[in-house]
Amino acid sequence: RKEVEQDPGPFNVPEGATVAFNCTYSNSASQSFFWYRQDCRKEPKLLMSVYSSGNEDGRFTAQLNRASQYISLLIRDSKLSDSATYLCVVNRGSGYSTLTFGKGTMLLVSP
Amino acid sequence: NAGVMQNPRHLVRRRGQEARLRCSPMKGHSHVYWYRQLPEEGLKFMVYLQKENIIDESGMPKERFSAEFPKEGPSILRIQQVVRGDSAAYFCASSSQTGIHEQYFGPGTRLTVT
């Protein structure tokens, strides 16, 4: 089983749509979780950390289910500028700073 | 805006040459991480350094690759005797002591081996 698994997509949605991405991770000792976005040929940029209670930042909502080792990202009211690859990221285990990245899910928002 | 800086942004080397990639962390950050992204692949962790110390090099190939983060100056990722398979984007990230898991990335160095 891969350490971090994501559906590669692409997800093609119209502007204004709501879209959800899912991610599973294999290391039950992981304690820190993030979503990053990466535009084509650019560096990854931190979108949001994911907390156990779930958290929201504007149009973005992240959820964590530790029992199922599952993370989700919900984007409401999609904008053209949301088109990017979304990376699910977990730390390697208790006390570890290093991160493991999923391969990403591509989102394409069309007019 | 003192973000993470990397140079050069593009580097072309012939097989057998050496490549040196530099990374200056964000101001106030003392932790540096190097990642490699092969075409159509995800980011792979290579090495984690603090000033003058290698903390975790479990992702680093055993041969030809080395990294350092000296007391003064940028972190350096060095690849000796490059081969075509080393062609990739190399990203550096940094984090602060307190936000140790939130890493901020530089623009990357795209290495092409001809």
Side-chain angles (χ1 to χ4, degrees):
Chain A
R1 183 180 174 184
K2 290 182 183 175
E3 290 183 83
V4 180
E5 284 202 73
Q6 296 182 252
D7 181 341
F11 283 46
N12 288 283
V13 302
E15 270 187 292
T18 296
V19 61
F21 305 134
N22 303 319
C23 163
T24 57
Y25 61 96
S26 61
N27 187 349
S28 59
S30 294
Q31 295 181 327
S32 299
F33 310 92
F34 309 92
W35 285 100
Y36 279 73
R37 69 170 278 170
Q38 186 174 27
D39 293 281
C40 188
R41 299 183 69 79
K42 300 281 191 179
E43 73 273 23
K45 291 189 175 172
L46 179 65
L47 183 64
M48 59 196 302
S49 301
V50 186
Y51 303 117
S52 296
S53 54
N55 48 300
E56 188 174 306
D57 184 359
R59 298 182 292 109
F60 299 84
T61 301
Q63 298 279 354
L64 168 65
N65 184 323
R66 285 186 186 271
S68 303
Q69 295 180 206
Y70 170 95
I71 307 163
S72 66
L73 177 68
L74 183 77
I75 305 175
R76 289 181 298 278
D77 189 21
S78 299
K79 312 289 185 194
L80 294 176
S81 58
D82 293 334
S83 297
T85 296
Y86 290 82
L87 308 175
C88 177
V89 184
V90 306
N91 79 313
R92 294 174 81 189
S94 178
Y96 281 89
S97 296
T98 52
L99 301 178
T100 301
F101 284 74
K103 292 179 74 171
T105 299
M106 184 181 290
L107 172 65
L108 300 171
V109 182
S110 54
Chain B
N1 178 16
V4 180
M5 296 197 296
Q6 290 188 249
N7 65 80
R9 295 289 302 275
H10 300 273
L11 183 61
V12 179
R13 285 286 178 267
R14 289 198 179 94
R15 277 178 295 171
Q17 291 185 318
E18 179 179 289
R20 279 187 181 236
L21 288 61
R22 287 176 289 278
C23 168
S24 296
M26 195 177 284
K27 189 175 180 181
H29 285 189
S30 56
H31 301 253
V32 166
Y33 311 80
W34 286 94
Y35 295 86
R36 176 165 66 175
Q37 188 170 34
L38 294 166
E40 309 302 324
E41 293 289 322
L43 277 89
K44 300 294 183 189
F45 165 75
M46 299 181 75
V47 62
Y48 163 33
L49 310 103
Q50 293 177 30
K51 284 284 186 183
E52 300 184 279
N53 285 304
I54 295 175
I55 307 301
D56 181 353
E57 57 182 345
S58 58
M60 199 83 122
K62 293 288 185 284
E63 297 176 350
R64 302 187 297 108
F65 285 73
S66 62
E68 62 176 3
F69 190 13
K71 189 176 179 182
E72 302 290 338
S75 175
I76 306 285
L77 179 68
R78 183 180 176 209
I79 312 173
Q80 295 178 290
Q81 299 173 342
V82 296
V83 301
R84 288 238 172 95
D86 297 332
S87 295
Y90 291 82
F91 291 100
C92 166
S94 71
S95 68
S96 67
Q97 182 67 37
T98 52
I100 198 165
H101 293 137
E102 291 186 349
Q103 297 179 16
Y104 297 88
F105 282 77
T109 294
R110 296 195 178 275
L111 172 66
T112 302
V113 179
T114 61

